[in-house]
Amino acid sequence: MNRWCRLLALACVLPARASGQDSTAVLSQGVPVSLSLDEALRQARAHSPTYRQALNNAAPARWGVRNAYGSLLPSVTASTDVGYTGSGQSSLGGGLTFSTSPFLTSGYSLGLDWQLSGRALMAPAQQKALQRATDEDISGAGVTLTSEISTQYLNTLQASAQVQVARQQVKRNEDFLALARARHQVGQATLLDVRQAEVTKAGSDVALLRAVQAENEAKLDLLRRMGVEPPVAIEQIVLSDSFPVSAPTVKLDSLLALAEQHNPLLRSLRAREHAADLDVRAAKSDFLPSLSFRAGWSGFTQQYTNEGLLLQQTLTDAQGKAADCQFDNSVKSALSLGGQVPNCYASNGLVDGGSALLDPVSQQIRNQNDVFPFRYTGQPFGANLSLSLPIFTGFSRSLRLSQARAQQEDADEDIRARRLAVRSDVQARYLALHTAYQAIGVQASSRDAARDQLRLAQERYRVGAGSALELSDAQNSVQKAEGDYITAVYDYHKAIAALEAAVGGPLR
């Protein structure tokens, strides 16, 4: 599926005569698919693995800023739990034990924690600086990608131009072979001239095959750098852009000023230096007091699973209290004292005779026990506000401050080193651009001279004044001169791309 998506992306620049055709029809008919530099750059920004890796750093940088602001807010923690305890024996001391019922427990807690320190106050600005550094790193990756794709696009155009030179050479050698055979037939040349022309023709054929192979490899390398696979046969992909040659008009001073302002690596290092400066301030704030506030709410439940044992224990306690009540009544009656309890059983929740609990009492016990899992018994609210000032921490604060200052100084030196490298690179690329432009003029003169040499050698050979070797040498010379001229032209365009990469922005 991705293969056909890429085909559609490349086919959007198809010539007008194929605009209404289906993409499968385009593939089957072998219609060339043109690729412009702008389209190549768009595809590269969408699919290049290296560039996409750089883009992946943007999301963590954004969350770093949000996290820094979030640290200024209180953190809230909620938790809940459930538990089970089995039956057993509890000791009352002195060898006395009693049976316990299994029970279920549950609980909840809600806590609020807020801390404020100088480092927390510095964190948002520091993370913003790091985010800007990440953005500049991404911009730098974009500049590098643009330079890489543009250079490879030019390499592919250069390879295509060399194919045309090789084809011209094959055509010249075909004419040379035809002329040698014609002269041999009329007795004006020997068979040696014919064989020389045939060898020269075979050599040019091989050179053409190698030139076509180099062109296809350059196209494949371009697509690889773009991060896509060939959507059609590699021979059907045609680069559509051309670039004129004009005298460079940019000034070195303006280029250096642009590089100071727009070079992504310099801008990234300046953002990191600002973050290092804020880190020094944060390290100094460790000597200041910090404020913290904590608050919490909680509750629990406990429910016995053996209600019979719970009722039996309640009945035993009530019977004991009733017996004590009857004893008190008998004492008061013997002493003729008032204040006797009319019914000791009823007052302690027992039926007459004390053999069982009253039904309302039993139901109340069951209702009170039926609390699991959400009928919580709340605990008292608690809150705490504290202010702390470390007095002595084993010089750890001084160590952190010293490390932060060292990192800040290292960041300053990184900026200075990068600035020197950028200025040196811009000046070198500027000189290379002018050298490449001057080389075009020299190679153009050499090409014209080689063509004139070939014309003279052809005329001399036609009239019998020149040899086949002389004509073959002239053809080789013109092929080399034309190839060197193409190399000079594309070296000039690649020098512009390199200068743009050094400056950090487009220049044309």
Side-chain angles (χ1 to χ4, degrees), residues 188-247:
Q188 294 182 358
T190 65
L191 184 61
L192 181 62
D193 290 347
V194 176
R195 295 293 181 260
Q196 174 67 34
E198 290 174 347
V199 171
T200 304
K201 169 66 167 55
S204 64
D205 289 339
V206 173
L208 176 59
L209 291 175
R210 290 174 178 171
V212 171
Q213 174 64 17
E215 179 189 20
N216 291 335
E217 290 179 355
K219 292 178 183 179
L220 289 171
D221 194 23
L222 174 61
L223 294 176
R224 178 189 65 81
R225 295 172 188 273
M226 290 165 54
V228 299
E229 296 179 3
V232 294
I234 195 65
E235 296 83 0
Q236 294 177 235
I237 299 177
V238 178
L239 306 190
S240 59
D241 283 358
S242 60
F243 303 94
V245 175
S246 58

Side-chain angles (χ1 to χ4, degrees), residues 119-141:
R119 188 173 290 274
L121 291 173
M122 292 290 180
Q126 190 174 10
Q127 290 298 324
K128 283 184 177 180
L130 293 176
Q131 184 186 23
R132 287 195 297 272
T134 301
D135 292 341
E136 294 301 335
D137 289 340
I138 294 174
S139 298

Side-chain angles (χ1 to χ4, degrees), residues 13 39 54 222 322 365 377 416 439 461:
V13 290
E39 177 63 22
L222 174 61
I365 292 172
T377 300
R416 193 169 71 89
Y461 186 73

Side-chain angles (χ1 to χ4, degrees), residues 327-341:
F327 178 75
D328 289 343
N329 284 345
S330 64
V331 171
K332 291 177 181 179
S333 175
L335 297 176
S336 301
L337 299 176
Q340 299 179 10
V341 178

Side-chain angles (χ1 to χ4, degrees), residues 147-157 218 221-222 225:
S147 175
E148 180 182 354
I149 298 300
S150 299
T151 300
Q152 188 57 36
Y153 194 91
L154 292 169
N155 287 336
T156 307
L157 287 176
D221 194 23
L222 174 61
R225 295 172 188 273

